């Protein structure tokens, strides 16, 4: 089959009959030439690259815009394919040596990259007339740059293939002549030198495709003024100063460096000899050297050694130079070439009249063992503070000023400068902050991905560059460890990493690499590994955690969840609570993820959610996890549904949502009764009685407590039976029947002491104190409440400490000590606000207002 029968790219559009006619004609001629050249080629992998090349030509022919760049690309593709096909004409696959086969593989990869770019351009070209003039111009410029990049890539591929095929031809001639065998090694060495010279010459020829090294204009920075001032002072400290601005991608390293190099003091010192070297195009050592030479305007010499030319030029000039090597990670991470790049950098650093200012991703400066970097070294750039982030956003989108949700959006982005810039541009284009927040929830980094963008205007491209760096790609466990860390929004405790990812045996080495690439960073106390939110979102989207590793991670949190069930009365609860408090955000993320995973063990996830919710009842009542567990339990018909209803109701009641809690308690009691679990049905009845007390239905409530106690005593459940007495005392206390309340509390306290339930006994002591205060026995009331408060401090029980403080406020208020009452209420209010307990917050505020009115009257 001839090449002309290759299928056309999908989505291609017919070109107009005016300017495009000549181009189409040229493309048709190219295709006919290639079809003819293909006749003598019978090697599958050569035909494969030719087929891709033809598709490139067909799409380039069909694109309606950027015709000049498309024409150049068609010519480049045709020339390269004819060279390839003629090189293999009449040969069989067995005739092709491995190094030439690999050269074709690299060519294939280059054509595939070009084809992928063209498909994006072709798709965008059709939209240029749909988005207004501004978008049309933007797409036209971007498409033009992309097409030029495609042509440059094929130029490079042509040069590399010609070098490889030329050397191969010479070596075959050598092996063909027996009379030259004695000189074979010398000729091989000479050919090796020829290969090197040809590559150097090609790199020199390719310099015409290098980016402009004209100094970019000064940039505005936010929140980095102190940092840039330190950098300027370091560069002024001595001739030949050398500093590095490090940090993750998207942190604004280039912006800070441009602010530094445009500082008036450096302009006065270096004048026009401030050189910007955009290293992101330096994909080989020769190209890196050529970039430096181009920036310095180093003339060529007959030596064909551009590094020597640079050294001689700088040493002979006697002038002070400062070189800004921007995005230096590109040449530094070239596979197998880091030592060569290091040699070049060391040579530049050794010239006394040359100062170096480098920006690169990572957290370690290059060549630290051979270069004396100026001290003190600059810290890595981190995210902006919230004020600077808001200022940066409003500079682009002033219409967002005053929006109550703006700071929330910035916090979601972890105040990452590139993410702020891109999000602000969306806001400027008309999106509201609330709309952007909603879109971020679902789209994440895709919201900030600009089709065909580069590291400067696409968050996804910026992050991918770090992931594609040689150290990260060369460390098998690095991406897997990143996928684990991305599941943990609060970061990972270093001490728990082995338990969380037991299958990643090389996690320490992987962590070193990730730190070095600035994809993760250490917390201030060095105890946790954290990740910026945009990077986390990208990893979750593009590198989801494998199922086995996800199971290991969940297991580590399932093991942690039940530890909080010990309650405030347990001697180890203080330490357990500290550990769990640091993991609450991660725990909830892991549990919600597991509950949503239809392929995972959702029964196990429901049980872990119940265990964790038990802990939340003691600390901060939050219902998100247990509400989701209840929903899933209903969906899958889980036997744990009544437990979910009970825990959900308990948390809602602690949040002051009595009506919603009552409905769930009723549902739980019904489910427990169906299962024959009368003890838990009685517990639900107790809770329903407490809700009736709050509604002042006292007799109905006490009847529920009596029935529940009778049931529990029959079941020999002394603990819950004693709590029914406490409930009864509570109903009398709220009703104002203080002697009856004291009697019930005293009886319950005796029963709690008999069974060794200290928290229950303390609760009775606390309410006895509160009741005695209502009866006017202020000294005894204060004594009981202080005793209970100190015991709760020992148990690290913030909820009951706050209750004691509030009751003490009552006692002082009743006794007329308003100033002291105000202090106690204030302390209680602060604690209840931390606990987010709506009922008690309202109670404290009510009493504070009453005290203030009395104090104002006096």
């Amino acid at each position: 089959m001839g090449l002309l029968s290759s299928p056309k790219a999908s989505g291609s559009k017919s070109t107009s009959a005016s300017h495009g006619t000549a181009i189409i004609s040229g493309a048709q001629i190219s295709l006919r030439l290639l079809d003819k050249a293909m006749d003598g080629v019978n090697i599958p992998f050569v035909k494969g690259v030719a087929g891709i090349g033809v598709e490139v030509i067909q799409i380039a022919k069909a694109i309606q815009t950027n015709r000049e760049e498309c024409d150049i690309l068609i010519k480049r593709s045709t020339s390269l394919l004819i060279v390839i096909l003629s090189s293999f004409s009449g040969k069989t696959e067995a005739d092709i040596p491995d190094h030439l086969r690999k050269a074709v593989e690299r060519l294939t990869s280059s054509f595939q990259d070009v084809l992928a770019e063209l498909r994006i351009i072709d798709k965008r070209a059709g939209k240029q007339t749909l988005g207004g003039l501004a978008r049309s111009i933007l797409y036209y410029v971007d498409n033009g740059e992309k097409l030029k990049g495609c042509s440059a890539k094929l130029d490079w591929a042509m040069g590399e293939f010609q070098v490889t095929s030329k050397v191969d031809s010479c070596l075959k001639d050598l092996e063909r002549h027996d009379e030259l065998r004695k000189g074979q090694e010398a000729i091989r060495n000479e050919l090796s030198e020829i290969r090197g010279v040809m590559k150097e010459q090609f790199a020199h020829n390719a310099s015409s495709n290098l980016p402009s090294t004209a100094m970019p204009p000064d940039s505005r920075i936010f929140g980095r003024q102190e940092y840039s001032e330190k950098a300027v002072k370091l560069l002024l400290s001595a001739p030949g100063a050398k500093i590095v601005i490090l940090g993750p991608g998207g942190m604004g390293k280039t912006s800070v460096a441009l602010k530094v190099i445009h500082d008036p003091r450096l302009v006065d010192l270096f004048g026009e000899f401030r050189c910007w070297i955009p290293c992101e195009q330096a994909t080989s050592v020769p190209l890196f050297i050529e970039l430096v030479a181009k920036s310095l305007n180093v003339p060529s010499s007959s030596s064909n050694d551009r590094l020597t030319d640079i050294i001689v030029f700088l040493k002979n000039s006697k002038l002070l130079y400062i070189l800004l090597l921007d995005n230096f990670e590109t040449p530094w991470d070239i596979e197998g070439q880091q030592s060569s790049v290091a040699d070049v950098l060391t040579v530049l650093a050794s010239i006394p009249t040359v100062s170096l200012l480098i920006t690169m991703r990572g957290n370690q400066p290059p060549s630290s063992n051979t270069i004396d970097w100026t001290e003190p070294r600059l810290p890595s750039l981190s995210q902006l503070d919230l004020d600077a982030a808001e200022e940066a956003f409003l500079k682009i989108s002033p219409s967002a000023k005053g929006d109550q949700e703006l700071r929330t959006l910035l916090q979601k982005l972890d105040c990452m400068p590139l993410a702020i810039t891109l999000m602000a541009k969306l806001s400027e284009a008309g999106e509201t902050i609330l709309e952007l927040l909603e879109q971020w929830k679902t789209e994440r980094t895709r919201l900030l991905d600009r089709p065909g963008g580069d590291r400067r205007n696409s968050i996804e491209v910026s992050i991918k560059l770090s992931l594609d760096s040689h150290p990260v790609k060369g460390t098998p466990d690095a991406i897997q460890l990143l996928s684990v860390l991305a599941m943990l929004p609060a970061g990972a405790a270093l001490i728990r990493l082995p338990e969380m990812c037991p299958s990643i045996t090389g996690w320490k080495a992987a962590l070193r690499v990730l730190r070095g690439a600035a994809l993760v960073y250490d917390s201030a106390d060095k105890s946790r590994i954290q990740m910026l939110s945009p990077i986390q979102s990208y990893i979750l989207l593009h590198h989801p955690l494998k199922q086995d590793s996800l199971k290991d991670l969940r297991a580590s949190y399932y093991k942690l969840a039940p530890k909080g069930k010990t309650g405030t009365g347990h001697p180890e609860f203080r330490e357990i609570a500290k550990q769990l408090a640091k993991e609450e955000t991660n725990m909830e993320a892991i549990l919600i993820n597991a509950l949503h995973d239809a392929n995972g063990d959702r029964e196990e996830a429901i049980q872990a959610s119940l265990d964790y919710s038990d802990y939340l009842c003691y600390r901060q009542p939050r219902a998100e996890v247990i509400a989701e567990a209840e929903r899933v339990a209903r969906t899958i018909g889980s036997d744990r549904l009544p437990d979910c209803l009970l825990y959900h109701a308990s948390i809602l009641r602690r949040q002051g949502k009595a009506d919603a809690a009552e409905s769930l308690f009723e549902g739980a009691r019904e489910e427990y009764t169906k299962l024959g679990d009368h003890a838990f049905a009685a517990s639900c009845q107790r809770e329903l009685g407490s809700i009736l007390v709050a509604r002042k239905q006292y007799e109905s409530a006490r009847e529920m407590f009596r029935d529940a106690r009778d049931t529990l005593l029959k079941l020999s459940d002394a603990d819950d039976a004693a709590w029914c007495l406490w409930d009864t005392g509570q109903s009398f206390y709220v009703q104002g029947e203080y002697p009856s309340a004291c009697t019930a509390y005293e009886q319950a306290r005796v029963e709690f002491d008999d069974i060794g339930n200290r928290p229950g006994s303390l609760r009775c002591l606390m309410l006895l104190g509160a009741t005695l205060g209502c009866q006017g026995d202020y000294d005894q009331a204060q004594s009981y409440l202080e005793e209970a408060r100190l015991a709760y401090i020992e148990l690290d029980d913030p909820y009951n400490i706050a209750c004691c403080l509030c009751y003490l406020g009552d006692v002082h208020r009743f006794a007329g000590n308003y100033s002291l009452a105000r202090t106690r209420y204030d302390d209680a209010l602060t604690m209840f606000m931390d606990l987010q307990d709506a009922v008690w917050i309202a109670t404290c505020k009510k009493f504070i207002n009453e005290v203030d009115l009395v104090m104002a009257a006096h």
Side-chain angles (χ1 to χ4, degrees):
M1 179 184 291
L3 287 176
L4 289 177
S5 59
S6 298
K8 292 185 178 180
S10 61
S12 297
K13 299 169 179 62
S14 62
T15 56
S16 65
S18 56
H19 176 68
T21 304
I23 305 300
I24 296 171
S25 177
Q28 294 289 5
I29 293 170
S30 296
L31 292 171
R32 290 193 185 96
L33 285 172
L34 291 174
D35 199 45
K36 186 174 181 181
M38 192 64 186
D39 289 342
V41 177
N42 296 302
I43 303 170
F45 63 85
V46 177
K47 284 187 173 182
V49 69
I52 298 171
V54 165
E55 193 169 355
V56 166
I57 293 170
Q58 289 176 325
I59 294 180
K61 179 190 72 172
I63 293 174
Q64 296 180 358
T65 61
N66 303 93
R67 290 310 320 167
E68 183 178 350
E69 290 89 349
C70 288
D71 188 22
I72 292 171
L73 182 60
I74 289 170
K75 291 176 181 178
R76 294 285 196 282
S77 301
T78 304
S79 299
L80 179 52
L81 289 173
I82 287 175
V83 169
I84 297 167
L85 294 172
S86 61
S87 298
F88 295 102
S89 180
K91 297 180 181 178
T92 65
E93 193 168 355
D95 297 330
I96 313 303
D98 287 342
H99 64 274
L100 208 53
R101 184 189 298 267
K102 289 179 180 177
V104 177
E105 289 175 0
R106 291 192 292 273
L107 278 170
T108 304
S109 178
S110 295
F111 266 118
Q112 286 172 336
D113 291 344
V114 169
L115 182 60
E117 290 280 13
L118 279 182
R119 285 173 174 160
I120 294 172
I121 292 169
D122 185 35
K123 185 177 180 181
R124 292 174 62 186
K127 297 179 180 179
Q128 283 188 214
T129 59
L130 301 179
L133 179 60
R135 178 169 292 184
S136 295
I137 293 172
L138 180 64
Y139 279 166
Y140 184 87
V141 172
D142 277 356
N143 288 348
E145 290 300 316
K146 291 298 179 184
L147 288 165
K148 288 177 183 177
C150 290
S151 293
K153 182 181 284 289
L154 295 185
D155 282 345
W156 173 261
M158 170 79 86
E160 185 183 35
F161 181 75
Q162 286 177 330
V163 168
T164 305
S165 59
K166 177 66 175 175
V167 172
D168 180 66
S169 175
C170 292
L171 290 175
K172 285 190 174 181
D173 288 343
L174 174 64
E175 292 169 357
R176 204 175 289 126
H177 300 289
D178 291 337
E179 65 272 15
L180 296 179
R181 284 192 182 278
K182 290 181 181 180
Q184 186 174 23
E185 190 60 35
I187 296 173
R188 284 184 184 276
N189 291 337
E190 185 178 349
L191 286 170
S192 180
E193 291 178 9
I194 292 173
R195 181 199 298 245
V197 169
M198 291 180 71
K199 285 190 175 182
E200 293 284 350
Q201 290 175 341
F202 177 74
H204 179 59
N205 293 335
S207 66
S208 61
N209 290 316
L210 291 176
S212 169
T213 56
M215 178 71 71
D218 192 1
S219 64
R220 181 165 183 178
I221 58 175
F222 301 89
R224 307 288 200 203
Q225 289 79 4
E226 184 178 346
Y227 190 99
S228 64
E229 179 63 18
K230 287 180 181 178
V232 170
K233 287 181 176 178
L234 286 172
L235 290 167
L236 291 170
S237 63
K242 296 169 278 289
I243 67 173
V244 185
I245 298 175
L246 298 162
M251 277 297 156
K253 298 181 292 296
T254 297
S255 295
V256 173
L258 289 173
K259 173 59 68 177
V260 168
I261 207 164
H262 281 290
D263 185 276
R265 290 163 289 179
L266 293 182
V267 173
D268 288 343
L269 180 61
F270 294 101
E272 63 185 278
F273 305 109
R274 295 168 298 124
C275 302
W276 178 62
I277 303 165
C279 296
E280 63 184 289
Q281 298 297 326
T283 54
S284 70
V285 179
L287 284 175
F288 171 52
I289 294 171
E290 190 61 42
L291 264 173
V292 176
K294 182 177 181 180
S295 176
L296 290 166
N297 290 318
V298 176
S300 300
S301 70
S302 58
S303 68
N304 287 320
D305 185 344
R306 295 298 279 157
L307 182 57
T308 299
D309 293 343
I310 292 169
I311 296 167
V312 171
F313 175 83
L314 289 171
K315 288 187 174 180
N316 289 342
S317 72
K318 307 299 183 184
L319 296 168
L320 293 179
Y321 279 85
I322 180 169
L323 307 183
L324 168 49
L325 300 173
D326 195 18
N327 295 309
F328 183 70
E329 71 276 358
T330 299
W332 186 250
D333 287 338
I334 298 171
E335 187 172 358
Q337 296 297 311
Q338 193 170 98
S339 61
S340 298
V341 177
D343 290 342
V344 176
L345 187 63
T346 302
V347 168
L348 293 173
S350 69
I351 302 173
T353 56
V354 174
S355 295
L356 294 180
L357 170 56
I358 293 177
T359 71
M360 74 180 289
R361 297 176 183 225
N363 65 355
Q364 292 295 325
S367 302
S368 290
N369 56 337
T370 58
I371 296 177
D372 292 326
W373 298 101
T374 302
E375 300 287 349
R377 298 182 184 182
L378 293 170
S380 295
L381 277 180
S382 58
Q383 56 265 57
L384 299 174
D385 64 49
L386 198 52
D387 288 340
E390 184 174 24
E391 185 183 1
F393 191 100
L394 293 175
K395 180 64 179 176
I396 298 170
S397 181
S399 62
K401 187 173 183 178
D403 195 301
Q404 298 298 312
E405 298 296 334
L406 176 56
R407 291 203 158 206
T408 302
L409 176 63
L410 296 172
Q411 288 170 329
K412 294 288 185 185
L413 301 175
D414 258 348
C415 295
M416 185 181 188
L418 177 58
I420 291 168
T421 298
L422 297 175
M423 194 68 85
K425 288 181 178 178
L426 292 174
S427 171
E428 182 189 28
E431 301 277 3
T432 68
I433 300 300
L434 193 59
E435 287 170 344
L436 291 173
L437 269 170
E438 289 300 315
Q439 290 179 61
W440 178 255
K441 289 179 184 178
T442 55
E443 296 183 48
R444 297 291 181 175
T445 51
R446 285 180 295 208
L447 178 61
L448 305 180
D449 182 35
R450 180 175 171 182
D454 57 24
R455 71 174 81 201
R456 294 178 297 273
N457 54 30
S458 170
I459 201 78
E460 295 218 336
V461 171
S462 179
I463 295 169
K464 189 174 185 298
L465 282 171
S466 293
L467 296 177
D468 287 344
S469 67
H470 176 58
V472 174
K473 292 186 77 173
T475 306
D477 291 330
I479 297 296
Q480 190 178 358
L481 181 58
L482 264 183
S483 299
V484 171
L485 297 174
M487 296 290 295
L488 307 172
L494 275 169
I495 196 170
R496 296 194 66 233
L497 266 181
E499 178 187 342
M500 291 191 289
C501 47
S503 63
I504 307 179
T505 55
W507 69 268
K508 288 184 178 179
L511 188 55
R512 282 195 296 271
V513 168
L514 295 176
R515 281 183 177 129
L519 287 163
V520 300
Y521 63 96
D522 292 279
S523 61
D525 62 2
K526 307 295 183 185
S527 66
R528 301 181 78 82
I529 296 296
Q530 296 177 289
M531 183 186 300
L532 291 170
S533 173
I535 297 176
Q536 177 200 19
S537 298
Y538 179 89
I539 297 298
L540 289 173
L541 278 172
H542 299 285
H543 298 279
L545 191 58
K546 295 177 181 176
Q547 198 63 34
D548 289 347
S549 297
L550 182 58
K551 188 175 181 180
D552 289 337
L553 180 61
R554 287 172 179 167
S556 72
Y557 278 90
Y558 292 171
K559 182 179 177 181
L560 184 63
K563 290 185 177 181
K565 292 180 70 174
T566 54
T568 55
H570 194 280
E572 295 180 2
F573 184 76
R574 181 192 296 264
E575 288 305 314
I576 291 171
K578 284 181 181 178
Q579 183 183 6
L580 277 169
K582 294 177 181 178
E583 295 294 340
E584 285 180 10
T585 302
N586 289 342
M587 178 72 78
E588 292 175 21
I590 292 295
L591 291 175
I592 294 293
N593 174 270
L595 289 167
H596 288 174
D597 186 1
N599 297 318
D601 188 340
R602 293 207 275 185
E603 288 285 359
E604 193 175 18
I606 291 171
Q607 183 57 56
S609 300
L610 289 166
D611 294 339
Y612 177 63
S613 296
D614 197 326
Y615 156 79
L616 287 180
C617 285
Y618 293 114
R619 301 295 292 185
Q620 281 193 345
R622 292 195 300 274
E624 291 81 5
V625 170
I626 195 62
E628 187 60 24
E630 180 201 330
R631 185 192 67 78
V632 172
R634 289 185 188 279
T635 301
I636 67 175
S638 172
D639 290 341
R640 294 179 175 86
L641 175 60
D643 298 334
C644 292
L645 291 167
L646 176 60
Y647 276 81
H648 192 185
S650 299
I651 288 177
L652 289 176
R653 181 167 173 251
R654 285 287 307 277
Q655 291 177 336
K657 300 174 181 177
D659 290 344
E662 182 181 33
S663 175
L664 291 174
F665 281 131
E666 289 282 10
R669 182 173 67 169
E670 183 180 340
E671 293 293 331
Y672 282 127
T673 302
K674 287 179 184 176
L675 294 172
D677 193 334
H678 300 292
F680 270 102
S683 294
C684 294
Q685 192 164 334
R686 280 185 54 220
E687 298 289 355
L688 287 166
S690 297
I691 291 174
L692 291 176
V693 170
R695 292 174 178 165
K696 299 182 181 182
Q697 299 175 16
Y698 304 116
E699 287 302 327
S700 298
R702 285 192 280 271
E703 183 178 349
M704 277 200 167
F705 296 146
R706 283 192 296 270
D707 290 346
R709 178 174 168 81
D710 290 343
T711 299
L712 292 165
L713 287 173
K714 289 177 184 177
L715 296 170
S716 301
D717 189 340
D719 184 69
D720 281 339
W723 279 111
C724 290
L725 284 174
W726 185 89
D727 292 330
T728 301
Q730 193 76 341
S731 71
F732 283 121
Y733 173 80
V734 174
Q735 190 177 5
E737 299 287 337
Y738 300 123
S740 298
C742 285
T743 300
Y745 289 140
E746 288 284 10
Q747 185 181 349
R749 189 182 181 197
V750 169
E751 292 191 13
F752 281 130
D753 287 339
D754 287 344
I755 61 177
N757 186 334
R758 190 183 181 201
S761 178
L762 284 174
R763 182 64 74 87
C764 292
L765 180 65
M766 177 173 66
L767 267 297
L768 275 169
T771 307
L772 290 171
C774 294
Q775 290 180 292
D777 191 350
Y778 304 130
D779 291 340
Q780 188 61 56
Q782 187 173 346
S783 175
Y784 279 175
L785 287 168
E786 282 293 350
E787 181 184 348
R789 186 177 73 88
L790 293 173
Y792 282 128
I793 290 174
E794 180 185 344
L795 295 173
D796 191 26
D797 185 342
Y799 176 77
N800 282 309
I801 294 170
C803 289
C804 288
L805 287 169
C806 193
Y807 288 132
L808 281 165
D810 289 345
V811 173
H812 292 308
R813 179 165 57 92
F814 298 154
N817 297 323
Y818 298 113
S819 178
L820 191 53
R822 181 66 153 80
T823 300
R824 292 301 194 184
Y825 286 140
D826 280 340
D827 292 342
L829 177 61
T830 299
M831 295 190 73
F832 283 128
M833 288 181 74
D834 287 342
L835 294 167
Q836 299 176 352
D837 193 310
V839 173
W840 276 104
I841 288 171
T843 300
C844 289
K845 286 183 176 180
K846 174 176 177 289
F847 290 148
I848 287 171
N849 186 55
E850 290 180 6
V851 168
D852 286 346
L853 289 173
V854 173
M855 292 174 70
H858 288 80

